[in-house]
Structure formats: structure tokens, C-alpha cells
Amino acid sequence: MDKGIKHRLLQAQKSELTEHIIYSRLARYIKNPHNRSIVETISNDELDHHNQWKKFTRKSVKPSRLKIGFFLFISRILGITFGIKLMERGEKKAQLSYDEISTVIPSAKKISHDEEEHEKKLISLIDEERLSYTGAIVRGLNEAVVELTGALSGLTFAFQETGFILAAGLITGLAMSLSLGGSEYLATKSEESHLTPIKAALYTGLANLITVFLLIFPYFLLSNIYIALAWMIGNAVIVIYLYNFYISVAKDLSFRKEFMEMVLVSLGIAVITFVIGVLAREFFHIEI
């Protein structure tokens, strides 16, 4: 066997064994019997693929402990659905190797087909509670990023003093979080939905509150309003990036489209309110 092909086979063998262990351990944390059964089936398939490669390589491999630890940690923190979906993205790359290997070993095509079937089965796993409340989290993040980014930009030029900006931003942010939480509670309660009003309110309020503190944090540390403003906008972009990456993986959405749209809206409003702040300072003769 060609050394290059054998090397790829050993890589594939190691990958399948590693993913078998990850799936088997994840299955222990899944309470839903149907979902747990699917993950256990996929785990067994991965082990079967490993055994097939071993027949050709005639060598034993060790799993990647680093990869196992990483995906188990990610899954416990961000949810099993996210962890599995993120790992499946790696399997898509592996399919390219299988297609090349199939020129020498035809059975590689079947394994590649099995990998595609895995992804279809995993779609049915998207029923975690945190994904059910995605809409509530989106509203909390959107309000904080869009409104507070704009408000802080306007306040920065209107007051030009970090203490006043921080106080006004904090009051605005806290009021926004409480208001959004209450609105989400009432809206969810009035709808015919399986969501719990209190949980929906908490998801919205907490998502908003965490984002509020990330946005006003620079004004607490810095005295230079322009550096604080730049840092605040940078934090807003980071929040948008992380959230959209999570959703794009967990719900198979287009990351670039969602990310760019949210960034453009937030920064567009920030620029407009920035100008309003300049005009307000001049019109009302604010001197602080």
C-alpha cells in the first residue's frame, strides 16, 4: 500500500476511534431516550468504521485525548447539540479524504455515505431547552447590542466624561434588561407556546444584562472616551460574532450573512446616534 494512503488510513482510523469515544460519553448525558439511542447508534457506527480501517492498516491507534476533552467540555458548556454539530463539521472535511482513499479501497465510499447519514440523524437532536429559547436570547442580545451601542455612542459625544457616560449607560442598560424581561414574560404568557414564560423572561433578561455589562465595562476602566468608545464597539462585534457562530453551528444557518447583517445594523445605529450626540451637545450647549 502507498505510504500516503496508509498515513491517511491511520488518520481516519484515529479520528473514528476518537469520535466513537466522544459520542459514547455524550450519550450518558442525554436524558431523552430517543436522542440517546441515536447518539449511541452513531457511536457504534464510528467504532465499526475504525475496525474496518484497522483491517487494512493492521495497526492499533490511540484516540486523541485532547479532542475528546475539548468536545466533551464544549458540549457540557454550550450544549450537546452545539458540540455534536461542531464535530460533524470536521467529519465533512474527513469525507474528502475518504473520497481519495476510495480510489484504492472502494469501501471508503460507503463510510463517506454513512457520515452523511449521521448528519441527517443529528438534525433531530435539536430539541435542547436552550435552543428552544433561542428567540428570547436573540431579543436580549439584539436590544443590548443595537440600542446600547447606539446610546453609548451618543452619550460619549454629548457628555464627553466617562463618569456621566458610565452612570447613564448603566441606568439605561439595567432599565432595558428589566423591561425586556417583563415584556418577554407577558408575550410568552399570551402566546400558545410550550415555552415557560418565566424561563423566557430570564433568558432574555440575562442575555441582555450580560451584554450590557460587556459594553459599559470599557468606560469603567478608561478615562479616554474615544478609546473607551472603540473598545465598546469592539466588544459589541465580539458578542455578535460569538453568538452568530453558535447559532450557525447549532442550527445550520449561514454565519456570514447573519453576522454581517447584525454588525451593519449595530454600527449603523451607533454612527447615527454618534452624530445626534454631537448635535445635541451643540444645540443644548452641554458643557461638562
Side-chain angles (χ1 to χ4, degrees), residues 181-231:
S183 297
E184 189 67 28
Y185 174 83
L186 294 173
T188 306
K189 191 175 182 180
S190 64
E191 296 172 355
E192 292 184 3
S193 170
H194 67 284
L195 303 181
T196 305
I198 293 179
K199 286 185 178 180
L202 286 174
Y203 273 107
T204 302
L206 286 175
N208 186 276
L209 190 61
I210 290 170
T211 309
V212 164
F213 281 112
L214 285 173
L215 294 180
I216 66 173
F217 185 68
Y219 291 95
F220 178 76
L221 293 180
L222 303 174
S223 58
N224 188 305
I225 60 170
Y226 301 107
I227 297 177
L229 176 63
W231 189 356

Side-chain angles (χ1 to χ4, degrees), residues 18 64 79 89 94 101 117-118 125 127 132 144 176 185 187 197 199 224 259 267:
T18 300
S64 172
R89 284 192 170 191
I101 294 171
E117 288 300 311
H118 289 177
L125 283 172
D127 60 358
S132 298
M176 184 194 308
Y185 174 83
K199 286 185 178 180
N224 188 305
F259 173 70
L267 296 187

Side-chain angles (χ1 to χ4, degrees), residues 8-17 19 23 41-57 88 90-121:
R8 294 200 175 194
L9 282 176
L10 287 170
Q11 285 185 319
Q13 184 180 336
K14 181 176 181 177
S15 178
E16 300 292 356
L17 179 61
E19 290 169 8
Y23 280 121
T41 299
I42 296 172
S43 174
N44 293 332
D45 287 345
E46 300 288 8
L47 182 60
D48 182 57
H49 296 160
H50 161 269
N51 294 336
Q52 290 183 53
W53 295 136
K54 190 175 181 179
K55 291 178 183 178
F56 294 102
T57 63
E88 282 296 304
E91 290 196 4
K92 285 183 179 179
K93 295 178 180 178
Q95 288 174 19
L96 298 176
S97 296
Y98 295 155
D99 290 340
E100 294 176 13
I101 294 171
S102 66
T103 59
V104 178
I105 303 173
S107 61
K109 279 286 186 182
K110 182 181 183 303
I111 294 179
S112 179
H113 175 71
D114 287 346
E115 299 291 357
E116 293 176 3
E117 288 300 311
H118 289 177
E119 187 172 5
K120 293 177 182 178
K121 289 180 180 179

Side-chain angles (χ1 to χ4, degrees), residues 145-146 233 236-238 240-241 244 257-270:
V145 170
V146 176
I233 292 175
V237 173
I238 291 171
I240 294 170
Y241 178 89
N244 280 285
K257 179 183 176 183
E258 299 294 326
F259 173 70
M260 291 305 299
E261 183 178 275
M262 201 168 174
V263 166
L264 289 174
V265 170
S266 299
L267 296 187
I269 291 175

